[in-house]
Amino acid sequence: MEYVMRPALYDADEPFPPFSRRRRLQNRLKNYFTDPYNIIMLVSVAILCYLIVVPLVQMIGTTFTMAKTDLRRVRGAVEGQFTLYYWKRLLASDVSRNLFWIPLRNSLVIAVCTSALSILIGSLVAWLLVRTDLPAKRFFSLAVIVPYMLPSWCKSMAWLTVFRNETIGGAAGFLSYLGINAPDWLAYGPLPIVFVLSIHYYAYAYLLVSAALRSINSELEEMGEIVGASKGLMLRKITFPLVLPAILSSVILTFSKVMGTFGVPSFLGLKVGYYTISTSLYATVQSQKGTGFAISIMLILIASVNIFVNQKLIGSRKSYATIGGKGGRSTPLSLGSWKAPTVVVLSAFLAVAVILPLGILLYQTFMLQAGDYSFSNFTLHHWLGESDPLISDGLPGVFKSPQFWMFVKNTLLLVAWTAVIATICGQVIGYINSRGRHLKSGKLVEQLVFIPYLIPSIAFGAMYLAMFASPTRVSFFGHPLTLIPSLYGTFAVLVLVSIVKHLPFASRAGTSNMLQISTELEEAGQIAGANFLTRFFKIVFPLSKNGFMSGLMLILISIAKELDLIVILMTPTQATLPYMAYTYSTNGFQQPASAVAIVLFILVFLFYWIANKFFHADIAGGLGG
């Protein structure tokens, strides 16, 4: 038989033939898109981009697009065209000074002063409770957290009840009732705003610094004591450098929160024309969204610069090891003769921060007529009374009000839906972060989910107002197709914005849970033939259920007292208890507002008690600590 030489089907110099390379590529793609981790990661990235990046881009685009409602303000303008009108109006117009620059100055002053004061208080309290022999530590450890459970704007209501003067009219404050007319600088403006915010946000510094102090071996301080260093010198030279990262982290939290806070500046500043960047944003976005969204972007930029500077400071400082292989011990420092005075001062501080505001608000709920603090004015009307046109314009007692129970229902539904969904999403994102922490995909998800952390709450609410104020439509074969209807005015947008805003905290808790679960357990399940869903729900999730429940309860606490995030998105039928108290107070109905605030505090405290009693929840995780 004659042998016939056939031409080669591939170049002998090539390591693999073309069909082999295609097969390898197909197998790689198949393996990639059938890997459960990759599927979850890709879905998470797509959802996070849509819920975080798209609203941000859309809000930025709105500031450069001429709106129909503003055509009369710009000669020759066309709806939808590119414009710099909103930025010029904000930064360089006749109204920019009052609209932006003065509120920005006020906000920066308040944020810097509040950060300094609250961090000083929180760090000092943390040091006393962790590093000294202060008596009754168990009691004080719980008591110093209670002020955070009372919404900051409730403290503003208590402040006005005491110091309100005749400047803005209305019912007299307690001091005015006694014949003492408090000066304007004490009743309204920056001083009371800084004080109220400081006794609320010091919790951030306390929780973060106390956690750092617990990781420090007390032998470091004992060495300083042996060489004759005073307690003040040891604090400056030993303790302070070791807890500096925790202090700088609390600066991020406090500064960003204060810059975006709305409730306290609204109660204590608006009535005397003292605007901050958040109250200016709230007022502007109601009338001109383009300019309001430009203010939001400036808030985001300020928060980003704050975090960038903070990270540079942390990255440039020397690193000190505080946990070593020899183990450590914690020996409390003796307060000596300062023990009794310290207990008195700390008790007085807690009385001012907790007992006094609650007592004032509670007493006010039993006043028939605002401003009359005599016992003859005592009544239960604002709790149990029927509608009377002569009292609070006919408002019934809160327990007799159908509107109150509707808002209670809205509040409970909002916190339940948000907590459950956000915590589940946090566990999933935590799984991605923990299993992919050395991969670019894991770092991408971590960075995306961190973005809401940068954005002040009121600016984040404005983002979702921009995105969901009108339906999202696309053209499908020449026919308009609505992908997402307008969600403004619906309960769904409140749940959605609350979930996304709390994803950084939920994912952080989820990452901590997942890092504690060894991958060996999943690998054992895989060897036994269990698919991914079986492994996740039979192995991973049961092992993380305690952390899951703690995260769930802590998000409940945060959402229950939320006002800044959702105040822009509120409608009369979808309002919550915080918004109800806010509207009552701004309309002059102080007693019903105080009653709603007391009910809200009881709910928040109940959530915390359940989280602490049954799930041993660490509230630092809910604060981003």
Side-chain angles (χ1 to χ4, degrees):
M1 183 176 67
E2 183 180 359
Y3 175 77
V4 179
M5 177 72 72
R6 296 184 181 274
L9 295 177
Y10 62 93
D11 190 345
D13 293 333
E14 293 186 6
F16 300 102
F19 69 85
S20 179
R21 291 201 305 272
R22 287 196 298 271
R23 180 71 59 84
R24 286 169 60 86
L25 179 60
Q26 290 172 358
N27 289 338
R28 285 181 179 179
L29 291 174
K30 180 180 179 181
N31 291 336
Y32 185 87
F33 287 106
T34 56
D35 186 331
Y37 169 83
N38 293 329
I39 295 173
I40 297 174
M41 183 273 297
L42 291 173
V43 172
S44 299
V45 168
I47 294 175
L48 290 174
C49 285
Y50 180 75
L51 294 177
I52 298 173
V53 179
V54 171
L56 184 58
V57 171
Q58 189 167 342
M59 184 172 70
I60 294 173
T62 302
T63 65
F64 293 103
T65 305
M66 178 59 64
K68 182 178 179 179
T69 54
D70 297 316
L71 293 179
R72 59 184 176 82
R73 301 173 184 265
V74 182
R75 183 178 299 176
V78 178
E79 180 184 359
Q81 74 176 19
F82 177 84
T83 182
L84 293 176
Y85 164 73
Y86 300 112
W87 286 101
K88 289 179 179 178
R89 186 169 189 269
L90 179 68
L91 301 176
S93 71
D94 294 337
V95 300
S96 61
R97 184 172 183 271
N98 293 326
L99 182 65
F100 178 70
W101 295 113
I102 290 178
L104 176 61
R105 180 199 63 191
N106 294 341
S107 290
L108 290 173
V109 169
I110 290 171
V112 170
C113 294
T114 300
S115 297
L117 184 57
S118 62
I119 290 168
L120 176 64
I121 295 171
S123 300
L124 183 58
V125 171
W127 181 77
L128 288 171
L129 291 178
V130 176
R131 308 302 288 172
T132 72
D133 60 348
L134 184 76
K137 285 188 178 181
R138 188 179 182 87
F139 165 75
F140 284 122
S141 296
L142 173 63
V144 295
I145 294 300
V146 174
Y148 184 76
M149 299 179 201
L150 183 65
S152 56
W153 46 267
C154 289
K155 300 182 181 77
S156 302
M157 292 166 56
W159 183 278
L160 289 175
T161 300
V162 176
F163 294 102
R164 186 187 294 108
N165 58 26
E166 299 175 353
T167 298
I168 60 173
F174 182 69
L175 292 181
S176 294
Y177 176 75
L178 297 177
I180 304 172
N181 196 34
D184 285 351
W185 60 266
L186 183 59
Y188 317 101
L191 181 65
I193 292 174
V194 169
F195 179 81
V196 168
L197 290 175
S198 296
I199 63 173
H200 182 74
Y201 285 122
Y202 82 89
Y204 288 156
Y206 164 72
L207 290 166
L208 295 174
V209 173
S210 62
L213 287 171
R214 290 189 183 97
S215 71
I216 299 174
N217 192 331
S218 62
E219 291 176 355
L220 298 171
E221 292 169 329
E222 290 170 5
M223 291 176 187
E225 196 171 16
I226 290 172
V227 299
S230 65
K231 288 183 176 62
L233 184 61
M234 287 189 293
L235 278 174
R236 293 196 309 272
K237 297 296 185 179
I238 299 175
T239 308
F240 179 76
L242 294 173
V243 300
L244 183 58
I247 292 175
L248 293 176
S249 295
S250 62
V251 168
I252 290 180
L253 283 166
T254 307
F255 188 90
S256 298
K257 281 285 187 180
V258 173
M259 285 296 294
T261 193
F262 169 78
V264 175
S266 175
F267 278 108
L268 298 176
L270 285 184
K271 294 178 181 178
V272 292
Y274 187 84
Y275 279 84
T276 62
I277 197 76
S278 58
T279 54
S280 179
L281 166 61
Y282 178 74
T284 305
V285 81
Q286 307 293 327
S287 58
Q288 192 176 71
K289 289 184 174 61
T291 305
F293 292 158
I295 297 175
S296 299
I297 294 168
M298 296 303 297
L299 264 177
I300 295 168
L301 290 175
I302 292 169
S304 301
V305 169
N306 173 42
I307 291 177
F308 174 77
V309 172
N310 189 287
Q311 293 299 321
K312 284 293 183 182
L313 291 174
I314 292 177
S316 62
R317 66 180 294 275
K318 293 181 179 179
S319 176
Y320 300 93
T322 60
I323 302 176
K326 296 181 179 180
R329 58 190 178 89
S330 179
T331 304
L333 295 174
S334 174
L335 290 174
S337 60
W338 287 94
K339 185 178 294 186
T342 302
V343 171
V344 172
V345 171
L346 187 57
S347 300
F349 169 74
L350 292 174
V352 171
V354 184
I355 299 173
L356 192 60
L358 283 174
I360 291 171
L361 292 177
L362 183 61
Y363 185 80
Q364 187 166 245
T365 65
F366 298 116
M367 295 166 55
L368 181 63
Q369 298 296 331
D372 184 354
Y373 294 85
S374 64
F375 288 108
S376 60
N377 194 41
F378 188 90
T379 182
L380 292 176
H381 172 82
H382 301 295
W383 289 102
L384 301 170
E386 302 290 344
S387 177
D388 186 339
L390 299 179
I391 304 175
S392 299
D393 285 357
L395 287 177
V398 292
F399 291 152
K400 294 285 188 177
S401 169
Q403 187 184 49
F404 169 79
W405 291 113
M406 180 180 69
F407 290 172
V408 169
K409 178 183 176 182
N410 290 345
T411 304
L412 294 178
L413 286 175
L414 179 63
V415 298
W417 279 106
T418 299
V420 171
I421 298 175
T423 308
I424 292 174
C425 293
Q427 296 296 308
V428 173
I429 294 173
Y431 181 86
I432 297 172
N433 291 343
S434 63
R435 300 302 185 257
R437 61 186 184 275
H438 300 305
L439 303 175
K440 291 182 179 180
S441 57
K443 293 178 181 178
L444 173 62
V445 172
E446 187 176 13
Q447 293 300 319
L448 283 175
V449 82
F450 183 75
I451 294 175
Y453 185 88
L454 299 172
I455 305 174
S457 293
I458 194 164
F460 200 81
M463 278 174 48
Y464 272 65
L465 177 62
M467 183 173 183
F468 294 110
S470 57
T472 302
R473 294 189 175 96
V474 295
S475 179
F476 186 73
F477 293 106
H479 299 283
L481 177 65
T482 300
L483 289 180
I484 299 177
S486 173
L487 296 179
Y488 179 69
T490 67
F491 189 74
V493 73
L494 300 181
V495 174
L496 190 60
V497 72
S498 301
I499 291 171
V500 179
K501 180 61 179 173
H502 288 82
L503 271 183
F505 302 140
S507 65
R508 187 165 185 171
T511 302
S512 299
N513 288 339
M514 295 302 170
L515 284 174
Q516 297 175 24
I517 302 172
S518 174
T519 56
E520 296 174 355
L521 300 173
E522 289 184 80
E523 291 169 358
Q526 190 173 13
I527 292 171
N531 59 35
F532 173 75
L533 292 178
T534 301
R535 297 196 304 269
F536 188 85
F537 288 106
K538 295 293 186 180
I539 299 175
V540 177
F541 187 76
L543 292 174
S544 64
K545 63 181 180 181
N546 288 337
F548 176 89
M549 293 304 300
S550 296
L552 179 108
M553 297 305 296
L554 291 170
I555 293 177
L556 276 172
I557 294 170
S558 179
I559 291 296
K561 57 192 182 72
E562 183 64 67
L563 177 64
D564 300 345
L565 177 64
I566 55 181
V567 66
I568 287 180
L569 301 168
M570 281 296 179
T571 60
T573 58
Q574 305 297 344
T576 58
L577 289 179
Y579 188 75
M580 184 182 193
Y582 170 73
T583 53
Y584 276 173
S585 181
T586 53
N587 289 325
F589 305 131
Q590 302 303 326
Q591 301 97 313
S594 298
V596 174
I598 291 295
V599 173
L600 182 62
F601 170 76
I602 293 172
L603 282 176
V604 172
F605 188 82
L606 182 62
F607 290 150
Y608 176 77
W609 180 82
I610 293 173
N612 187 264
K613 179 73 174 177
F614 297 101
F615 306 109
H616 308 289
D618 178 14
I619 199 171
L623 294 175

